[in-house]
Amino acid sequence: MALIASIAGALLAAAGLRYRGHGVFASIVAGALVVPAVVAFTSLVFPAGPEARMWAPVAIPVSGLWGVAAAGLGCALASRVRRGARAGTTREAP
């Protein structure tokens, strides 16, 4: 559950930064850091079982990849929303 919430957090963080006009690279990096931070916290800092501690060296880098994917999607969505808002176009059913 924490992993899904952190992926959604990465998407929202990157989308929010990109919507406010920050660069794409900065938005993706900042958004992507959310997921590994949550995974590291839940497996190393938060009292976790020995199995979670054992898999932490593998889970943290892999969660970074998920964070980059979610942040990239968030940046793409924010750019699309900004482009539509700037053009003043709305889609209406015919």
Side-chain angles (χ1 to χ4, degrees), residues 48-81:
E51 187 173 336
R53 291 181 189 267
M54 179 184 73
W55 285 103
V58 173
I60 293 170
V62 170
S63 67
L65 296 174
W66 282 105
V68 169
L73 180 62
C75 282
L77 290 173
S79 295
R80 183 128 173 132
V81 168

Side-chain angles (χ1 to χ4, degrees), residues 1-87:
M1 185 65 182
L3 182 63
I4 301 300
S6 65
I7 289 173
L11 187 139
L12 292 175
L17 288 171
R18 185 65 187 132
Y19 189 76
R20 291 191 173 134
H22 295 282
V24 173
F25 184 72
S27 299
I28 289 176
V29 169
L33 289 177
V34 171
V35 183
V38 170
V39 171
F41 179 78
T42 57
S43 62
L44 299 174
V45 177
F46 189 74
E51 187 173 336
R53 291 181 189 267
M54 179 184 73
W55 285 103
V58 173
I60 293 170
V62 170
S63 67
L65 296 174
W66 282 105
V68 169
L73 180 62
C75 282
L77 290 173
S79 295
R80 183 128 173 132
V81 168
R82 282 186 82 192
R83 197 174 317 134
R86 196 173 336 131

